[in-house]
C-alpha cells in the first residue's frame, strides 16, 4: 500500500509523532511549510486567530501529489480548538484528492472530535482511523502502543 504522511508542525510534536507513524508504514513524508514565519508572541497570536477564524495560511506549494497514493495520513496540531491554519490551507487546496485518509492531531488535550470532523469535511474524505496524542500521551510509556494500534486500524481497513 503506497502511503503518504502529511504533517504540519510548529514546535515539533506533530512531526515527532508523524515520523514514528511513517516509519511503521514505510510512508513518504510531505511537510507543509509556512511562507511567513510564526515566531514569538505575535506568531502565536496570529496562529490562534487564523485557526479560530478558519482562515487558511499561506503555504508553500506541496511537492507530492496525494492522488498518487493509496492512503494519505494527515497530522495537525490543534490551535484554538481547530485544525492548524496551514493544514486547512493544504486540505482546501487538495480537497477531494484523498482516496483513503487517516487523521491524527497533537494537542494539550481538547477538541479532538470536532477537529477530526472538520478535517473530513474540508478534505472530502472519511478517515479510516483517527488518533489524538495529547501532551500527556506524547511523553508516556503508552505512546508506542497507541501508535501501533493506529497503524493496525489503518492496515486492517485495506
Ligand atoms: C496558537 C496555538 C493554539 C493552541 N491551541 C490549543 C487548543 O485550543 N487546544 C489544545 O489542546 N492545544 C492547543 N495548543 C497546543 C498544541 O496543539 C500542542 O502543543 C501541539 O502538540 C503542538 O504541535 P506542534 O509541536 O507540532 O506544533 C495550541 C498551540 C498553539 C501554538
Amino acid at each position: 500500500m503506497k502511503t503518504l504522511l502529511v504533517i504540519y508542525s510548529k514546535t515539533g510534536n506533530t512531526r515527532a509523532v508523524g515520523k514514528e507513524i511513517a516509519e511503521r508504514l514505510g510512508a513518504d513524508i510531505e511537510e507543509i511549510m509556512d511562507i511567513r514565519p510564526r515566531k514569538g508572541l505575535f506568531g502565536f497570536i496570529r496562529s490562534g486567530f487564523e485557526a479560530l477564524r478558519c482562515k487558511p495560511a499561506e503555504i508553500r506549494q506541496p511537492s507530492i501529489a496525494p492522488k498518487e497514493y493509496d492512503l494519505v495520513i494527515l497530522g495537525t496540531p490543534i490551535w484554538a480548538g481547530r485544525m492548524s491554519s496551514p493544514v486547512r490551507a493544504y486540505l482546501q487546496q487538495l480537497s477531494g484528492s484523498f482516496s483513503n485518509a487517516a487523521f491524527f492531531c497533537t494537542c494539550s488535550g481538547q477538541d479532538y472530535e470536532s477537529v477530526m470532523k472538520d478535517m473530513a469535511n474540508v478534505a472530502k474524505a472519511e478517515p479510516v482511523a483517527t488518533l489524538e496524542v495529547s501532551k500527556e500521551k506524547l511523553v508516556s510509556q503508552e505512546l508506542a502502543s497507541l501508535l501501533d494500534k493506529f497503524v493496525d486500524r489503518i492496515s486492517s481497513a485495506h
Side-chain angles (χ1 to χ4, degrees), residues 2-6 27-31 61-69 72 90 94 97-98:
K2 205 176 166 200
T3 306
L4 175 66
L5 181 124
V6 180
D28 293 338
I29 300 179
E30 166 99 279
E31 182 156 354
Q61 186 65 29
S63 55
I64 303 179
K67 267 211 155 109
E68 288 171 14
Y69 287 79
V72 182
Y90 178 90
L94 291 157
S97 309
F98 311 102

Side-chain angles (χ1 to χ4, degrees), residues 33-37 58-61:
M33 303 300 288
D34 278 306
I35 289 179
R36 290 173 63 198
E58 287 178 76
I59 57 168
R60 291 208 199 132
Q61 186 65 29

Side-chain angles (χ1 to χ4, degrees), residues 8-15 43-45 47-48 76-82 106-111 133 135 138:
Y8 174 80
S9 188
K10 181 172 173 315
T11 54
N13 296 343
T14 314
R15 184 183 303 114
F44 180 86
I45 292 169
S47 300
T76 184
I78 291 187
W79 287 353
R82 308 277 164 92
T106 69
C107 56
S108 303
Q110 301 157 31
D111 306 306
V133 182
K135 213 161 44 183
L138 193 65

Side-chain angles (χ1 to χ4, degrees), residues 1 18 22-23 29 32 51 53 57-58 65 68 70 80 91 98 112 115 125 140:
M1 183 172 55
E23 264 174 34
I29 300 179
I32 300 166
R53 300 284 303 271
E58 287 178 76
E68 288 171 14
D70 305 311
L91 293 182
F98 311 102
Y112 154 72
V115 169
S140 79

Side-chain angles (χ1 to χ4, degrees), residues 3 33 50-51 70 74 84 150:
T3 306
M33 303 300 288
E50 285 175 358
D70 305 311
L74 295 134
S84 63
F150 180 58

